[in-house]
Amino acid sequence: MESQNAQAASGYSSLKMQDTPATATDSHSVTKRLQSELMQLMMSGIPGISAFPVSDSNLCQWTGTIAGPDGTPYEGLTYKIAMTFPANYPYRAPVIRFVSPMWHPNVDMSGNICLDILKDKWSAIYNVQTILLSLQSLLGEPNNASPLNAQAADQWDNNKTEYKRSLMAHYKDIEELGED
Amino acid sequence: MKLLDRLLDWYIDVVRSHFVMHALPTAKSHFKSPEVLLQPTILAETMKRVLSTLCDAFNHYCYPLKYIFPEHSPSRSRFAHSLNAMTEIALSDYEFQIVSLMMIDYHLSKCGKPSPLDEDDEREKVMQDDYESQRLEFLNELREKVEILGIQDLIERVVAKVYHSFIQYYVSEQYSMRLEREEDEPPALMELKEVIYGPIARAVKVLVRDDGTICERMYELASECLARLRIGEMFSIVVGFPDSIPGLEDLRSCMKTQEHRSQLVASFQTSCQQRLLHSGVNTADVITFYISTIKVFRLLDPRGVLLDKVSRPIRRYLRERDDTVKCIVNGMLEVDDPNTGDLSELGKELANVSGKADDSNDDDYMDLNWVPDPVDAAPDFRNQRTSDFVGAFLSLYDNKEVFVKEIVVVIANRLLDLKNYEIDREVMHLELLKLRFGESELHSCDVMVKDIAESKRVDLNVHDRALLAPGVIPVNGKLHASMLSRFFWPTFKNDDLAAPAEIEDQMERYAAKFSTLKSGRKLTWLKRLGSVDVSLELEDRALKFCVSPDQASMIYLFQSSGSYTVSDLMQRLRVDEASVRRAALFWVKNGVLKEDGNSYVLLERAEESTKKVLMDDTARSSVQTAEEKATEEMRVYWSYIVGMLTNLQSLPIDRIQSFLKMLIPKELGYSRSTDELRDFLAAMIAEERLELVAGAYRLRK
């Protein structure tokens, strides 16, 4: 048995990004992009992360759900987030915050998140799915070098039992959050 | 004098009552027997007898007057006049008209085209001529009596009715669906003219006073009938094109009025709706029909106004079909696909460069043949001068992008199927396509073709032993690769596949060689693309196949063991179940493997029942794909529903429905009604995946 003509692709090492002006995007292309991202997210069915538009009229407001990764203090807990996409998405990062009260070194008490890819490291190749995955992994691997919640960072480093206790004290089940 | 007048009045009264009491009943008694209406010979005889009876009475009534009034006195004509009026009124009833209608009709029907006879058969010919003279004699006899009775008007009316319906009948009888003609046959209109100006005119003129236009009127009528006939047959003309050109010629020569044109459009559109534009017809057939339509209507109306009108519903329909683009592109590129049928005509037309995009605008001042658009042109009518149907297809959609996408995929597949890097045919196609679509649109195709050309060179270098660094094992000469520039090719499903270890080894060596030739580049294999030549040596037979890498890798596994379960194969090949089944099906069909429950067994010896298995399996596989599609659709909807309920907790059915409608991309399309959705959700509740609380659905924990 001989193999003939197997096809292969030569991977060019440099990934070319088109330099598109951020101003030239209209709301239609945002809607389209978000629609296809939703499709991708729905079809991939990655367990533990999920997001969906809040209403069918405005695709720029999403709500998401993140399950705490196994083997972290967040195991078995689910958190709710709110995502707001700017009109020139994906050239600008979406604004994301935790709706559920959160005890985490990089999240402040009103839910604001300190994550590089949502700020200066944002790139148009990220999408909802990658953001959700990054947030999920952030739960297990906080960046304690620049904490928003210093007390949490301190507990994480020095006293995991105390950390878990504070975490549970703040935690609210999604059911209890109600509509907001 | 006065007395004479009164005498005449009295006599007229007497004659009237006698006529009504005796003459008329006697005459009418001839109609009584029922066989009168069935036998044309008796019919003629009856007619003759009726008229004779009346004539006798007439002569009898006139007889006494001879002695009182001179031959041409006003009183004589007054008497004749009143008698004629009486006769006419008496005979105007239904019965007489029917009998005379049928009688004359019978005689006319004998006038039609003479039945074909041998040239030599003089006797036949003489007999036919004989018949005609007999017929004319009979009609002449009839006319004499009619004149005596003074009922010419009545008979003329009857004859007019008869020849009208007779010509209608004659045309439809002779020419209905006669769309093809032998070479020596004259056109239908010529033939009609001959018959009308010949025997029919001769017979009609006996009974009708000719004002010189009667033949012309009858001919006009025949032409009108033929036009209506052919208009109704337009659909068949298009289907039968080009054999039906004679029928088309008929229509062209007798279509004269504006009304005909609008009738043609309406009737053609109706037959299209009934016979073509429904889901039972293959897209390829619709396209073939449309091509013929374009050709036919171009012949009929070179300005293209009619075409523009009749093709609108077809074009609208084609836009709705989702495999239209695929069919057209396959046709243009002359792909042999049993599913799309033969549309190679498109390819030939594409090659016909002279007919290419002649979209020069209408304001060509140098064009001396310019004429304004006809009055029945639609407001947005655009004149397309050439009969370029490829252009007609390309203008189906607002932009050509849909075609470009499909072309890229087809060309990519064809390039991947190439075995010897021979790109000549694709280059030719590409050049022709560029004439239509423009250089820039097909840029990625250019790159793809160039990739293959480049691959040929690289592949030669890889195999070139002279370039080999000492101590490196050469790559097996039978492994060839095509290097694709990832960004310009359509996206491939880069699914993994565990190729046989020997092949993997060769591939690694090939990749290493490539990296030394092209420094800084790395080869990523698309293991499931390409083709493999396989020779199988079984106990009783040797077989050769050209198969996909999936199929090759699978059969390779059977080299070490005669039987595997499906899950075993999935694990060893690192592919999903559907792929395993598909690849195995190929071998089962070819009688190499046998399905045994949930596993596959190698048939070292061919089995008798191979054929039966083959039949069974094809049937099963097609059913499976239909099911697969439905499940796939449902899987998409369900994942959206799970997504929204995970994040929004609980939702009433209206919100779910509107979310699905808004958010599922158009390509997939969500077309279920609320009731269908309710059924689906109810099924999910039955499976304990959902629950319905206070009118809102939520996921079950």
Side-chain angles (χ1 to χ4, degrees):
Chain A
M1 199 157 31
E2 300 295 344
S3 166
Q4 196 182 48
N5 241 39
Q7 311 290 340
S10 63
Y12 286 124
S13 49
S14 71
L15 182 105
K16 278 186 205 147
M17 282 284 300
Q18 262 190 326
D19 206 7
T20 320
T23 49
T25 53
D26 52 0
S27 68
H28 180 66
S29 71
V30 176
T31 311
K32 227 171 161 186
R33 157 105 187 195
L34 287 173
Q35 206 178 35
S36 76
E37 282 196 16
L38 179 65
M39 170 87 186
Q40 192 191 349
L41 183 68
M42 291 296 112
M43 297 320 292
S44 63
I46 299 173
I49 57 165
S50 178
F52 211 79
V54 177
S55 85
D56 51 352
S57 51
N58 178 13
L59 273 186
C60 292
Q61 278 290 349
W62 288 30
T63 170
T65 316
I66 295 175
D70 291 351
T72 68
Y74 300 92
E75 185 175 340
L77 308 179
T78 44
Y79 288 89
K80 208 168 167 180
I81 59 168
M83 315 173 85
T84 309
F85 295 91
N88 53 2
Y89 180 79
Y91 304 106
R92 281 291 184 75
V95 178
I96 297 174
R97 67 182 187 88
F98 275 93
V99 177
S100 308
M102 188 64 184
W103 186 257
H104 187 278
N106 302 107
V107 180
D108 70 14
M109 293 318 285
S110 37
N112 300 316
I113 306 164
C114 178
L115 182 63
D116 53 357
I117 64 158
L118 293 178
K119 301 281 184 309
D120 50 334
K121 291 267 177 64
W122 170 255
S123 149
I125 60 163
Y126 294 125
N127 58 30
V128 177
Q129 191 174 324
T130 53
I131 293 170
L132 290 173
L133 283 172
S134 306
L135 284 176
Q136 195 182 30
S137 65
L138 181 72
L139 294 185
E141 299 153 14
N143 175 10
N144 282 348
S146 61
L148 274 181
N149 183 339
Q151 193 186 357
D154 184 49
Q155 286 177 352
W156 178 278
D157 288 336
N158 303 323
N159 191 345
K160 280 283 172 63
T161 342
E162 188 65 15
Y163 184 85
K164 177 78 184 172
R165 212 177 51 72
S166 324
L167 190 159
M168 289 317 287
H170 285 91
Y171 180 70
K172 262 193 194 162
D173 193 68
I174 285 187
E175 298 287 314
E176 297 165 34
L177 281 171
E179 296 288 324
D180 56 345
Chain B
M1 205 55 199
K2 238 186 173 172
L3 190 70
L4 276 181
D5 272 350
R6 287 183 56 193
L7 184 65
L8 187 64
D9 283 346
W10 169 80
Y11 184 61
I12 289 174
D13 275 350
V14 171
V15 164
R16 260 187 200 150
S17 66
H18 184 270
F19 181 82
V20 174
M21 301 285 286
H22 302 284
L24 196 58
T26 321
K28 284 204 171 175
S29 68
H30 297 303
F31 293 137
K32 289 293 180 268
S33 56
E35 66 264 29
V36 162
L37 297 173
L38 297 175
Q39 297 229 356
T41 44
I42 301 180
L43 200 68
E45 205 49 45
T46 314
M47 186 74 183
K48 223 152 107 186
R49 243 184 275 157
V50 171
L51 290 180
S52 302
T53 312
L54 290 176
C55 279
D56 286 350
F58 201 85
N59 284 332
H60 191 66
Y61 296 145
C62 286
Y63 187 71
L65 294 184
K66 267 204 275 191
Y67 303 102
I68 305 172
F69 303 106
E71 184 73 20
H72 293 292
S73 66
S75 303
R76 273 290 282 276
S77 61
R78 185 155 77 91
F79 177 72
H81 194 78
S82 68
L83 208 62
N84 287 347
M86 198 162 62
T87 322
E88 193 170 338
I89 291 166
L91 290 184
S92 296
D93 65 356
Y94 195 54
E95 220 171 24
F96 178 75
Q97 287 209 6
I98 290 197
V99 172
S100 46
L101 270 176
M102 289 182 60
M103 194 274 299
I104 297 167
D105 191 32
Y106 171 71
H107 278 271
L108 277 179
S109 67
K110 295 281 176 194
C111 305
K113 203 173 134 194
S115 53
L117 41 90
D118 291 327
E119 296 285 326
D120 324 324
D121 203 342
E122 278 300 316
R123 214 168 52 92
E124 278 277 295
K125 199 158 171 9
V126 170
M127 264 173 67
Q128 275 200 357
D129 286 351
D130 246 22
Y131 281 142
E132 185 170 359
S133 54
Q134 268 180 23
R135 216 162 37 229
L136 288 179
E137 202 178 303
F138 169 78
L139 289 175
N140 269 317
E141 213 177 298
L142 207 64
R143 190 189 50 180
E144 276 167 29
K145 298 206 163 76
V146 165
E147 271 169 8
I148 293 172
L149 290 172
I151 51 170
Q152 289 100 325
D153 287 353
L154 180 72
I155 293 295
E156 268 184 29
R157 277 207 301 279
V158 170
V159 171
K161 251 186 225 165
V162 170
Y163 81 66
H164 195 278
S165 61
F166 170 72
I167 286 174
Q168 273 180 351
Y169 165 80
Y170 182 75
V171 169
S172 73
E173 178 80 346
Q174 290 286 325
Y175 298 105
S176 171
M177 292 312 277
R178 252 185 65 194
L179 302 173
E180 297 169 29
R181 252 199 300 273
E182 299 296 323
E183 289 223 344
D184 52 343
E185 264 184 287
L189 267 181
M190 293 274 286
E191 236 173 58
L192 273 173
K193 197 166 189 171
E194 235 167 67
V195 173
I196 286 172
Y197 279 78
I200 294 185
R202 277 202 291 279
V204 168
K205 275 180 185 169
V206 173
L207 292 173
V208 179
R209 278 160 298 184
D210 184 15
D211 58 352
T213 61
I214 183 140
C215 289
E216 211 170 296
R217 285 209 309 270
M218 286 196 294
Y219 176 66
E220 285 287 304
L221 180 69
S223 151
E224 171 73 24
C225 290
L226 189 65
R228 278 169 198 273
L229 182 73
R230 290 285 182 257
I231 284 173
E233 286 168 356
M234 197 57 194
F235 191 88
S236 310
I237 292 179
V238 171
V239 171
F241 190 82
D243 294 337
S244 59
I245 287 181
L248 185 63
E249 294 292 331
D250 291 346
L251 180 59
R252 197 166 60 169
S253 49
C254 58
M255 225 175 68
K256 296 192 182 88
T257 62
Q258 201 59 48
E259 198 196 340
H260 284 150
R261 291 166 70 92
S262 50
Q263 255 177 13
L264 175 65
V265 171
S267 115
F268 187 73
Q269 283 181 346
T270 318
S271 13
C272 280
Q273 289 298 348
Q274 282 168 355
R275 295 172 61 180
L276 184 75
L277 305 181
H278 53 75
S279 42
V281 183
N282 286 337
T283 308
D285 293 339
V286 179
I287 292 174
T288 317
F289 184 86
Y290 183 32
I291 295 175
S292 299
T293 307
I294 293 175
K295 290 180 177 169
V296 165
F297 279 84
R298 281 289 166 190
L299 283 177
L300 194 61
D301 168 40
R303 291 290 299 160
V305 176
L306 291 179
L307 175 64
D308 177 62
K309 285 186 178 174
V310 297
S311 56
R312 280 172 194 228
I314 305 180
R315 292 169 69 87
R316 200 178 316 130
Y317 182 76
L318 277 175
R319 274 195 289 270
E320 279 169 18
R321 282 257 173 138
D322 42 11
D323 55 344
T324 305
V325 174
K326 196 172 150 62
C327 283
I328 294 172
V329 170
N330 283 353
M332 284 198 294
L333 296 177
E334 291 162 332
V335 180
D336 296 326
D337 182 350
N339 295 326
T340 58
D342 181 32
L343 292 170
S344 55
E345 214 171 331
L346 276 171
K348 288 188 200 109
E349 177 70 14
L350 186 70
N352 179 8
V353 186
S354 64
K356 99 180 215 289
D358 181 15
D359 39 28
S360 56
N361 54 2
D362 216 10
D363 305 326
D364 182 1
Y365 297 114
M366 299 304 285
D367 183 6
L368 291 178
N369 295 320
W370 186 88
V371 280
D373 290 338
V375 280
D376 56 341
D380 55 343
F381 168 72
R382 268 193 328 233
N383 178 30
Q384 300 150 329
R385 242 172 271 161
T386 53
S387 56
D388 161 34
F389 46 79
V390 172
F393 281 112
L394 297 187
S395 61
L396 261 187
Y397 301 92
D398 290 338
N399 57 13
K400 293 177 178 173
E401 210 173 295
V402 277
F403 290 106
V404 173
K405 271 186 198 155
E406 185 69 30
I407 288 171
V408 170
V409 171
V410 171
I411 291 198
N413 279 330
R414 288 240 292 242
L415 288 174
L416 291 180
D417 285 343
L418 287 179
K419 285 215 170 161
N420 298 314
Y421 308 104
E422 277 166 8
I423 52 176
D424 297 354
R425 187 160 159 248
E426 302 317 315
V427 169
M428 186 195 77
H429 271 129
L430 199 55
E431 289 306 320
L432 288 174
L433 288 170
K434 274 188 198 160
L435 290 175
R436 298 273 178 185
F437 291 96
E439 195 89 19
S440 57
E441 297 279 351
L442 294 169
H443 175 61
S444 60
C445 289
D446 270 343
V447 177
M448 295 194 302
V449 168
K450 199 169 152 285
D451 273 348
I452 302 297
E454 175 81 5
S455 300
K456 183 179 187 177
R457 213 173 51 74
V458 173
D459 190 67
L460 272 178
N461 280 337
V462 168
H463 289 295
D464 191 344
R465 307 218 167 191
L467 293 176
L468 210 61
V472 179
I473 317 154
V475 179
N476 188 310
K478 286 178 178 168
L479 179 72
H480 300 282
S482 301
M483 272 58 79
L484 317 181
S485 310
R486 184 157 53 114
F487 282 97
F488 297 93
W489 287 72
T491 33
F492 299 110
K493 281 186 219 141
N494 189 14
D495 294 331
D496 198 15
L497 171 76
E502 291 91 327
I503 308 287
E504 295 263 11
D505 186 40
Q506 292 291 338
M507 283 158 76
E508 260 168 47
R509 242 182 272 161
Y510 197 109
K513 190 78 211 290
F514 176 82
S515 296
T516 57
L517 282 172
K518 300 249 172 190
S519 56
R521 303 256 188 99
K522 195 172 144 281
L523 211 53
T524 311
W525 292 91
L526 295 169
K527 289 184 190 166
R528 295 181 76 168
L529 296 177
S531 59
V532 186
D533 286 334
V534 181
S535 316
L536 300 180
E537 280 170 23
L538 298 164
E539 274 179 25
D540 62 340
R541 63 202 191 278
L543 301 164
K544 276 188 195 274
F545 296 98
C546 178
V547 297
S548 73
D550 291 26
Q551 292 159 348
S553 308
M554 170 177 285
I555 204 67
Y556 184 83
L557 289 175
F558 284 90
Q559 196 158 306
S560 46
S561 162
S563 158
Y564 289 96
T565 63
V566 172
S567 52
D568 215 8
L569 286 171
M570 280 163 62
Q571 212 177 355
R572 281 167 195 263
L573 294 173
R574 293 205 297 270
V575 295
D576 57 0
E577 185 176 346
S579 308
V580 167
R581 296 247 179 224
R582 222 175 297 128
L585 190 67
F586 173 82
W587 294 115
V588 172
K589 269 186 191 169
N590 285 296
V592 176
L593 295 184
K594 192 176 80 169
E595 191 171 2
D596 182 17
N598 207 25
S599 57
Y600 290 96
V601 184
L602 182 67
L603 293 173
E604 280 287 359
R605 297 188 160 277
E607 271 188 10
E608 283 296 312
S609 58
T610 310
K611 234 185 173 117
K612 196 171 155 286
V613 171
L614 189 151
M615 306 284 279
D616 284 359
D617 271 284
T618 41
R620 199 180 309 152
S621 73
S622 64
V623 171
Q624 223 171 21
T625 50
E627 271 171 24
E628 268 168 14
K629 190 162 183 282
T631 353
E632 172 70 21
E633 255 176 27
M634 254 19 251
R635 203 171 66 80
V636 174
Y637 303 156
W638 177 242
S639 60
Y640 272 82
I641 293 171
V642 170
M644 65 181 92
L645 294 180
T646 310
N647 294 296
L648 304 168
Q649 274 69 52
S650 66
L651 289 172
I653 191 154
D654 312 345
R655 293 268 323 264
I656 299 182
Q657 174 78 357
S658 69
F659 265 132
L660 289 175
K661 270 197 171 154
M662 278 300 297
L663 297 177
I664 292 184
K666 300 275 179 298
E667 305 88 83
L668 276 154
Y670 175 78
S671 55
R672 309 286 164 116
S673 67
T674 312
D675 287 330
E676 282 172 302
L677 177 65
R678 202 189 309 278
D679 288 346
F680 175 65
L681 294 178
M684 285 298 145
I685 291 175
E687 283 182 30
E688 306 201 324
R689 291 158 90 167
L690 280 184
E691 55 190 359
L692 183 60
V693 181
Y697 291 88
R698 49 189 289 168
L699 290 174
R700 228 181 149 97
K701 293 255 162 72

